[in-house]
Amino acid sequence: MSGSALTYTFLGPEGTFTEAALLQVPGAAEANRVPCSNVNTALERVRRGEADAAMVPIENSVEGGVTATLDAIATGTELRIIREALVPITFVLVARPGVKIADIHRVSTHGHAWAQCRLWVDDNIPNAEYVPGSSTAAAAVGLLEGDAHYDAAICAPLVAAERPGLNILAENIGDNPGAVTRFVLVSRPGALTERTGSDKTTVVVPLPEDRPGALMEILDQFATRGVNLSRIESRPTGQYLGHYFFSIDADGHASDARVADALAGLHRISPATRFLGSYARADAQQTSVAPHTSDAAFASAHAWVRGILGGESAPQSVG
């Protein structure tokens, strides 16, 4: 990128939960922030070198993985996750001045937001039709345009506060008051972030062959090395019916011996495995490591094998 200021893309427009996640990054408030209408566009600008990194949603505590992001980072030119951010999610219902809840027949928002507000919607506007939006903020901003084909939008409180043309008809309409969305900052491949002891590693593993035990073989690479998985989701590759890849978050850093050994095992059985990064956990939760899976245990075991191969340790006689 030209100049000294960093450029970040994010799922826009301004005021989205994604921008709130981006603003948790040190220096992002002073950086160039470019809103994008969808995840693919945000990531492609990074791939083309038009931005230094992109902030995109990857997981929600209620709805699970964000499929658009999981698919976009699993294909195309490789990218790396360098940071994650957690944002508590609250929703409001907004409309143009003069519109009342009784007047609402069509509501627009992002699909994940709609899913998180369905109980409130069923109780208060049960006959309302859902109009998919590219983001919660885009749906709200669309109401200010003359050709909006819906009556109300579900968005973040910040969006409504920053736009005087929107009236808040209802607050805290989310079905789960503890909902949190996880976002990741994605850049082009480079040096790994430093290990902190509270880390996460993300990989994409294509199922090498659709046969009994194929998934178990993948999971065993982690289990036998004491690596805990915090997320695993299957996604279709799009090549043909029944062909899937697995998106996996594992506790630990690629420089941890147990994680490195697991990655090597994955590559042996599925050479198309894609490493998406090791980075600090947003919640700073320390990774629990059993003594026999510690770096010291792996180093001792490797030294023992080297000793055998080097003839330093003769096998004991039997009988």
Side-chain angles (χ1 to χ4, degrees):
M1 301 297 300
S2 61
S4 58
L6 293 176
T7 295
Y8 295 108
T9 55
F10 65 95
L11 180 61
E14 292 84 355
T16 57
F17 294 113
T18 314
E19 187 178 26
L22 178 57
L23 290 173
Q24 294 183 24
V25 178
E30 295 75 39
N32 299 316
R33 302 192 303 279
V34 181
C36 296
S37 60
N38 57 69
V39 168
N40 279 319
T41 300
L43 295 178
E44 281 305 312
R45 290 193 175 189
V46 175
R47 288 185 168 111
R48 294 195 301 262
E50 297 171 5
D52 296 285
M55 183 68 80
V56 291
I58 193 170
E59 182 184 11
N60 178 267
S61 61
V62 177
E63 285 295 293
V66 179
T67 57
T69 300
L70 296 178
D71 294 346
I73 61 178
T75 58
T77 305
E78 286 200 13
L79 295 167
R80 292 285 186 273
I81 299 172
I82 59 175
R83 186 186 181 96
E84 71 173 9
L86 302 177
V87 177
I89 304 300
T90 59
F91 298 104
V92 296
L93 181 73
V94 298
R96 291 183 293 267
V99 175
K100 299 179 176 60
I101 289 183
D103 303 325
I104 296 173
H105 302 287
R106 309 185 84 205
V107 180
S108 182
T109 190
H110 188 271
H112 273 237
W114 179 254
Q116 293 178 68
C117 299
R118 287 303 304 272
L119 294 180
W120 187 92
V121 169
D122 289 345
D123 287 341
N124 295 273
I125 42 176
N127 297 319
E129 178 186 349
Y130 168 52
V131 178
S134 61
S135 71
T136 56
V141 172
L143 287 171
L144 302 178
E145 301 172 357
D147 57 349
H149 55 289
Y150 48 90
D151 310 304
I154 294 173
C155 65
L158 179 63
V159 177
E162 292 181 344
R163 290 169 174 81
L166 296 175
N167 282 349
I168 296 178
L169 301 181
E171 297 180 296
N172 297 317
I173 65 173
D175 300 332
N176 188 332
V180 174
T181 293
R182 174 178 161 233
F183 299 83
V184 289
L185 187 65
V186 183
S187 70
R188 293 179 295 281
L192 282 181
T193 58
E194 293 185 6
R195 178 171 58 175
T196 67
S198 174
D199 304 291
K200 188 177 292 182
T201 293
T202 300
V203 291
V204 169
V205 187
L207 192 65
E209 184 181 0
D210 188 11
R211 57 175 173 76
L215 175 58
M216 182 63 68
E217 191 174 12
I218 291 173
L219 298 179
D220 278 347
Q221 305 308 310
F222 298 102
T224 58
R225 295 166 177 88
V227 179
N228 183 59
L229 303 184
S230 57
R231 182 185 62 85
I232 177 169
E233 299 184 58
S234 63
R235 293 292 303 152
T237 63
Q239 296 180 7
Y240 53 84
L241 190 64
H243 196 234
Y244 286 82
F245 68 80
F246 292 91
S247 178
I248 298 172
D249 288 337
D251 290 348
H253 193 279
S255 62
D256 295 329
R258 69 189 186 285
V259 177
D261 215 44
L263 292 176
L266 289 174
H267 191 269
R268 285 200 317 273
I269 64 175
S270 182
T273 294
R274 174 172 290 200
F275 174 75
L276 289 179
S278 291
Y279 46 94
R281 294 176 60 115
D283 60 9
Q285 180 177 328
Q286 292 290 308
T287 302
S288 177
V289 182
H292 70 282
T293 63
S294 66
D295 283 9
F298 272 89
S300 176
H302 290 155
W304 178 72
V305 172
R306 286 195 301 270
I308 293 174
L309 298 177
E312 299 173 10
S313 175
Q316 296 180 353
S317 60
V318 178

